[in-house]
Amino acid sequence: MTVHNRLFVAFFFLCLSIHAYSQTEIPVRQFKASPLIPVYNPVLIDSTDVNKKTFEAKNLLKTQVDFDAVRNSKQVLKADTGGIFSLEHAPYDRQIPSRDKAIQLLSFNIDADRYCKAELNITSTDRFEVFINDAREDKNKETKEDSLSKAKTVTIDLTLEPRRYEVIIKHLAEVRNFNESKIRVSIKMAKKDSLAQVTLSTGGKRRITINDILDGNRVTAGSLSSTGNYYLINTKEVSTGGKSLSNMELRELKTNQTLYRFPFEINPQWVTGKNQLVYYRNGLKNKDLVLLDIPSFQETVLAQGLTFDYFVISPDAQWALLSVNEEIPEDKGDLKRLLSPSRDGSFGKRASLALYSFSDNSLQQITFGRTNTWLADISPDSKKALLFTSEEDITHRPFDKQILFELDIQTLQLDTLLQDAFISGAAYSPDGKDILVTGSAEAFGGIGENLSKGQISNTYDKQAFIYHRKDKKVEAITKDFNPNIVDVQWSPYDKNIYFRAEDKDCIHIYKYDTQTQNYTLLDLPEDIIAAFKVADTQAVALFRGENPTNAYRIYAYDLKSQKSTLLSDPYQSQLDELIVSPVTTWTFTSGNTVIDGRYYLPPNFDPNKKYPLIVYYYGGTSPVSRVFESTYPLQVYASLGYVVYTLQPSGTTGYGQEFSARHVNAWGKTTADEIIEGVQQFYREHSFVDSTKVGCVGASYGGFMTQYLQTKTDIFAAAVSHAGISSIASYWGEGYWGYAYSGAASAYSYPWNNPGLYAGQSPLFNADKINTPLLLLHGTADTNVPIGESIQMYNALKILGKEVEFIQVQGENHGILDYKKRIEWNKTIYAWFAKWLKNQPEWWEVLYPEK
């Protein structure tokens, strides 16, 4: 070998060793440092404590300090070329010898791009404790040396997920009798994880995690006084671990000043036309109703010792209607007779109404019997009320009968106004002369239908009607209005109707001018409006909203200037820490239909790279809304390094009656083809997507779509079905309200008259066509889609020798609500996609090792 070749080989191996080192060990080069926090030896009353131990300097490390001292610090320490930090000495006071010790906090962040193992190595002359994400580590250092060469290295094993970890070193700074105070810290990657990309920092924004969706302080509700002068705001703060603290404040709208805080849940209702509210609290016997006057804050007890499930105060505040749920007695013994196909508990309860008069403290029952009765509205003059009754009618779709009555409060006489199985809500006009009715387009003989020939209306697509009491005629006011009605308010202030409506993948507010019969979209700053209330006597409204890049905020809206004013956004400080993916609209045309969609990009996006893709859909009768807070958080999927695409295929509400009616009797027809077409067109048009690494996820009907899609295509490299329907027939018969949902999705179709639909469209009957690795997730207590739907698909795929995993979430229903289980469930999804879309099986293998 020539000298030249030997030099080349030596240089090659030198570069290789440097590269390997950089992959396996990373020195910490910077710390954020808090100011020194002096600590003192305690006054020694006795020589030993209750455990007969003497006081030692290491005990000073137990001094409680606020970690915000380092989080808010501007001081940054830098290591020398050898990776060693020289630390500040504690102040020394010769007059008071005990003043030679202090606590100092040192912090840095670890960000990993994947699940991996590592070691945290700390060598220091000082005593120290280590905290990772606020949790104290078991391995700490209780001795002090006079040089770094004499100090023993403390090694802490790390298991890193793709997220940020905050490391805080709490060291005890001492000066007397010691020559130096130094520290050296490094991260050493496990050999098998040397390719993991780990970044160390002292600041900067971090990736969103599932904890950011669950934790933090958020607006949860708000309500505006009738006068528009005051409002209530509800917030809830959740800490890591799931503990929460709820708060309700009364504020003046004009100044946004907090006037009063309620220490308990009060279920408040504003008194019409006055600066007063009525609420209940638990009294010595049952519940008391209390009136609070503002701004005097004088409380008046209106009633005591009442039993009710909810109450509604009359506009004149002279009486209240109380609703009480009564249980139907069950059969005694071990044998139980099933009285109804409905097994969700509603059949076993009957709601009745009682009237409480504040003038004479009388309580009288106003409805009696086995029929459910509930209040729809109270007339503006407080003289009458609209009541609904509902009875099961299992032989006719939609399987119950709805009757709207008007009750005369003084005489308790009932007048039957409407009988229609397809109506669901009613409210008086401001003058009490007309009634605004909501229901499906099939109500009133289908006068509100706007469908193509042969279509059946989707009963989840709600419409609005005005019932004119004078001539008893019904006007279908939303027949040509595409958004899906969520709720309504007929405003006493301007006599217009305000609709909160599902408008494609948004929820917007529309004003319906009752004179011109025109609709106007209000220009509000959020995509999803969760509540909107117009004051009765002022041109002001209160609303709460969010969009894909921020959590719920609460605003005031001026009806005259059409301007919104932000009142509260408690989550903003947490949001400021996060890398939030921008959201880009992307549509495609399938046949003659434009299919809406949007996508999210991962942090530090490089258009020249190839990224795996996650596709999320519902595919059923509701759109995937533009929300930030979601059970299936698309922002979190993006933060894990995926491009995320979601779309709104045929059958979705919010796009008009014809579009939503495509859901009926389809069960994947057209919808699946549109999803497949959309995914293929998306990765063809976006070169940064790796078309061989595409995953999909859906839940409930979306879980059905996940399973059904795999019987139609092999374009997906991994699939996740949560609470998915595998057999339409068994879901129809065994789901607690499967037959009722099928009354919409499978209108007039039953297993005996349309077996082609129930078998042909069921993924279970086509399980042999599935080749995609499929993860089935299901709560063991799911009453909506029973867990048997996943069990039978799992059995089928196992028998067929297909790649399938089945994870049961113990004790959870259709949604995973328990804090701890929800995090573990999400990590299961992340690990499954990492295994199949990133060729990183380690996370999955740790969560679910082979047995």
Side-chain angles (χ1 to χ4, degrees):
M1 183 181 293
T2 65
V3 173
H4 175 77
N5 287 338
R6 284 198 299 270
L7 289 173
F8 175 81
V9 171
F11 179 76
F12 171 80
F13 280 106
L14 176 62
C15 290
L16 184 63
S17 65
I18 293 173
H19 180 70
Y21 176 82
S22 66
Q23 294 286 336
T24 59
E25 186 161 12
I26 311 164
V28 176
R29 298 290 186 185
Q30 289 188 341
F31 284 133
K32 285 185 73 173
S34 74
L36 290 176
I37 306 167
V39 292
Y40 309 103
N41 292 333
V43 177
L44 297 178
I45 305 298
D46 299 301
S47 58
T48 62
D49 63 10
V50 293
N51 296 313
K52 297 183 179 180
K53 293 183 178 180
T54 59
F55 182 81
E56 300 178 65
K58 66 180 182 181
N59 296 111
L60 292 173
L61 272 176
K62 297 179 181 178
T63 303
Q64 183 173 327
V65 295
D66 188 350
F67 286 176
D68 282 347
V70 69
R71 291 172 181 147
N72 299 330
S73 176
K74 306 283 188 189
Q75 182 182 7
V76 177
L77 303 182
K78 296 184 179 180
D80 62 19
T81 55
I84 298 173
F85 295 84
S86 295
L87 301 178
E88 190 175 354
H89 290 308
Y92 178 60
D93 190 330
R94 292 183 181 274
Q95 302 300 318
I96 308 176
S98 64
R99 291 186 180 173
D100 67 341
K101 299 178 181 65
I103 294 290
Q104 187 177 37
L105 303 174
L106 309 172
S107 75
F108 68 97
N109 303 317
I110 305 172
D111 287 277
D113 73 331
R114 68 183 72 183
Y115 182 93
C116 58
K117 304 274 188 176
E119 293 177 350
L120 173 61
N121 295 311
I122 306 174
T123 309
S124 176
T125 58
D126 293 340
R127 300 177 177 91
F128 63 78
E129 293 180 331
V130 179
F131 296 80
I132 299 179
N133 288 352
D134 290 327
R136 183 181 182 275
E137 295 295 312
D138 293 332
K139 291 184 178 181
N140 296 284
K141 184 170 178 285
E142 297 182 343
T143 62
K144 178 165 176 60
E145 291 76 35
D146 59 8
S147 68
L148 202 61
S149 61
K150 296 178 181 180
K152 185 178 180 180
T153 298
V154 173
T155 298
I156 298 172
D157 293 328
L158 300 176
T159 297
L160 303 177
E161 296 173 0
R163 56 166 299 176
R164 171 165 290 180
Y165 293 84
E166 179 190 54
V167 179
I168 293 180
I169 301 170
K170 178 184 177 185
H171 82 95
L172 181 62
E174 301 175 77
V175 61
R176 202 165 45 160
N177 301 325
F178 294 100
N179 298 325
E180 60 180 19
S181 186
K182 296 184 182 296
I183 190 170
R184 179 175 60 230
V185 182
S186 67
I187 305 294
K188 185 177 181 181
M189 304 305 300
K191 188 174 181 181
K192 67 176 183 177
D193 292 326
S194 61
L195 295 179
Q197 298 298 309
V198 174
T199 305
L200 308 181
S201 67
T202 56
K205 294 194 174 186
R206 58 178 176 82
R207 297 177 181 230
I208 298 176
T209 70
I210 182 60
N211 291 91
D212 293 305
I213 303 300
L214 301 181
D215 301 346
N217 195 13
R218 290 175 170 83
V219 174
T220 57
S223 64
L224 182 66
S225 69
S226 172
T227 62
N229 295 328
Y230 303 96
Y231 75 99
L232 288 169
I233 177 172
N234 294 63
T235 58
K236 184 177 182 180
E237 185 169 11
V238 180
S239 64
T240 300
K243 290 185 178 181
S244 63
L245 180 65
S246 296
N247 183 51
M248 179 183 290
E249 294 181 0
L250 171 65
R251 296 182 182 179
E252 186 179 41
L253 187 67
K254 185 177 180 179
T255 64
N256 206 25
Q257 179 183 359
T258 298
L259 305 177
Y260 198 86
R261 287 187 175 89
F262 294 91
F264 44 82
E265 179 58 46
I266 63 171
N267 189 29
Q269 294 182 28
W270 293 100
V271 177
T272 301
K274 297 182 180 180
N275 294 318
Q276 296 176 334
L277 57 86
V278 176
Y279 55 89
Y280 81 82
R281 64 187 178 200
N282 293 323
L284 295 176
K285 293 182 179 180
N286 298 320
K287 298 172 182 176
D288 298 341
L289 289 179
V290 179
L291 182 142
L292 180 70
D293 183 71
I294 308 165
S296 69
F297 296 105
Q298 294 294 316
E299 283 189 336
T300 303
V301 177
L302 299 177
Q304 293 179 295
L306 300 179
T307 300
F308 55 84
D309 290 284
Y310 75 87
F311 77 96
V312 178
I313 194 81
S314 65
D316 62 6
Q318 296 301 304
W319 51 268
L321 280 179
L322 312 179
S323 177
V324 179
N325 284 329
E326 298 176 296
E327 299 281 348
I328 295 177
E330 290 188 351
D331 293 334
K332 297 180 180 179
D334 296 327
L335 303 182
K336 307 291 184 183
R337 178 190 178 198
L338 187 64
L339 298 176
S340 165
S342 175
R343 291 172 292 132
D344 63 355
S346 63
F347 187 84
K349 295 180 179 180
R350 290 296 179 268
S352 60
L353 294 171
L355 186 146
Y356 186 90
S357 172
F358 298 136
S359 60
D360 58 12
N361 297 322
S362 64
L363 176 66
Q364 56 180 320
Q365 191 170 357
I366 59 173
T367 66
F368 177 83
R370 298 172 60 87
T371 300
N372 272 317
T373 308
W374 70 91
L375 175 70
D377 197 14
I378 299 174
S379 64
D381 60 8
S382 299
K383 293 182 179 180
K384 296 186 177 182
L386 295 175
L387 309 183
F388 267 110
T389 64
S390 177
E391 285 189 90
E392 188 175 66
D393 184 11
I394 201 64
T395 61
H396 296 87
R397 174 181 172 272
F399 310 124
D400 56 17
K401 294 187 294 186
Q402 308 285 349
I403 303 177
L404 179 65
F405 294 97
E406 186 173 54
L407 173 72
D408 187 302
I409 297 299
Q410 292 181 328
T411 65
L412 296 189
Q413 294 296 307
L414 281 178
D415 180 18
T416 302
L417 299 182
L418 300 170
Q419 297 187 56
D420 196 308
F422 293 97
I423 63 175
S424 55
Y428 283 105
S429 63
D431 59 9
K433 295 181 179 179
D434 296 318
I435 297 174
L436 180 64
V437 179
T438 54
S440 74
E442 290 178 78
F444 305 110
I447 64 169
E449 289 185 332
N450 187 357
L451 304 169
S452 295
K453 185 177 180 180
Q455 284 189 313
I456 299 174
S457 175
N458 184 337
T459 55
Y460 287 94
D461 196 336
K462 298 300 181 183
Q463 305 298 314
F465 309 83
I466 294 179
Y467 172 66
H468 298 285
R469 303 180 67 191
K470 185 176 181 180
D471 57 13
K472 296 186 179 181
K473 290 184 178 180
V474 178
E475 180 184 359
I477 63 173
T478 58
K479 181 175 182 178
D480 299 312
F481 180 68
N482 285 337
N484 171 35
I485 305 302
V486 178
D487 57 41
V488 300
Q489 179 195 358
W490 201 329
S491 170
Y493 174 75
D494 60 10
K495 310 304 185 289
N496 294 317
I497 300 173
Y498 290 86
F499 289 102
R500 191 166 69 93
E502 200 174 62
D503 189 8
K504 299 182 179 179
D505 60 355
C506 299
I507 297 180
H508 287 149
I509 304 298
Y510 282 87
K511 181 179 71 174
Y512 176 74
D513 190 311
T514 52
Q515 298 299 315
T516 65
Q517 299 183 336
N518 291 325
Y519 284 92
T520 303
L521 171 65
L522 301 192
D523 184 14
L524 303 180
E526 303 288 357
D527 292 335
I528 303 296
I529 308 301
F532 185 89
K533 168 66 176 176
V534 179
D536 292 341
T537 58
Q538 286 194 56
V540 65
L542 188 80
F543 70 92
R544 181 168 60 98
E546 70 168 330
N547 65 51
T549 58
N550 65 260
Y552 276 113
R553 300 163 169 163
I554 197 163
Y555 297 82
Y557 178 74
D558 189 309
L559 273 65
K560 293 181 178 178
S561 67
Q562 301 178 13
K563 299 295 183 183
S564 298
T565 302
L566 179 64
L567 299 174
S568 183
D569 181 12
Y571 190 78
Q572 185 61 51
S573 59
Q574 185 167 334
L575 191 69
D576 289 340
E577 301 174 1
L578 305 177
I579 302 172
V580 179
S581 173
V583 180
T584 305
T585 298
W586 184 80
T587 63
F588 72 97
T589 301
S590 178
N592 295 320
T593 301
V594 175
I595 304 298
D596 281 352
R598 62 184 187 273
Y599 65 90
Y600 303 67
L601 298 176
N604 306 313
F605 172 71
D606 182 349
N608 297 313
K609 289 184 177 180
K610 289 282 190 180
Y611 292 89
L613 173 69
I614 291 178
V615 182
Y616 178 73
Y617 41 74
Y618 181 54
T621 194
S622 298
V624 179
S625 298
R626 299 174 65 88
V627 296
F628 178 79
E629 304 172 20
S630 170
T631 305
Y632 305 91
L634 306 190
Q635 285 282 359
V636 177
Y637 297 160
S639 78
L640 292 168
Y642 300 96
V643 174
V644 181
Y645 168 52
T646 187
L647 68 163
Q648 320 294 345
S650 289
T652 304
T653 54
Y655 289 83
Q657 291 187 45
E658 188 279 329
F659 196 88
S660 68
R662 300 179 192 181
H663 177 68
V664 183
N665 285 313
W667 286 95
K669 292 178 182 176
T670 304
T671 302
D673 292 338
E674 289 173 350
I675 293 173
I676 294 168
E677 183 180 355
V679 171
Q680 290 177 319
Q681 193 164 328
F682 184 84
Y683 63 60
R684 288 192 195 108
E685 291 188 16
H686 299 91
S687 60
F688 48 79
V689 171
D690 184 345
S691 62
T692 68
K693 297 295 183 182
V694 181
C696 60
V697 56
S700 192
Y701 192 95
F704 159 80
M705 284 305 308
T706 290
Q707 296 180 34
Y708 182 73
L709 281 166
Q710 310 324 306
T711 71
K712 302 285 288 183
T713 183
D714 292 333
I715 65 171
F716 298 107
V720 177
S721 168
H722 174 75
I725 299 162
S726 63
S727 170
I728 304 170
S730 58
Y731 165 69
W732 169 86
E734 294 182 22
Y736 276 29
W737 50 86
Y739 72 96
Y741 175 74
S742 297
S746 317
Y748 305 112
S749 292
Y750 302 96
W752 54 87
N753 69 6
N754 195 350
L757 173 69
Y758 281 82
Q761 294 303 111
S762 292
L764 181 66
F765 289 81
N766 296 278
D768 58 324
K769 300 181 179 70
I770 296 178
N771 298 309
T772 306
L774 177 62
L775 172 62
L776 300 166
L777 298 164
H778 223 119
T780 59
D782 195 330
T783 54
N784 187 337
V785 180
I787 194 172
E789 293 301 312
S790 287
I791 292 173
Q792 56 194 4
M793 178 56 79
Y794 176 75
N795 293 347
L797 295 179
K798 275 296 188 181
I799 290 171
L800 289 164
K802 302 300 180 78
E803 187 71 54
V804 62
E805 293 283 358
F806 181 22
I807 306 300
Q808 302 180 24
V809 189
Q810 296 298 314
E812 290 297 293
N813 205 307
H814 198 53
I816 310 303
L817 301 181
D818 178 82
Y819 182 93
K820 179 176 178 291
K821 294 174 186 176
R822 187 171 171 184
I823 289 177
E824 293 171 346
W825 167 70
N826 270 277
K827 289 181 179 179
T828 297
I829 296 172
Y830 307 157
W832 182 255
F833 282 139
K835 176 179 179 178
W836 295 104
L837 303 185
K838 292 186 175 183
N839 301 320
Q840 297 170 11
E842 296 84 4
W843 201 354
W844 180 268
E845 291 169 355
V846 169
L847 291 177
Y848 304 102
E850 291 297 326
K851 297 180 180 179

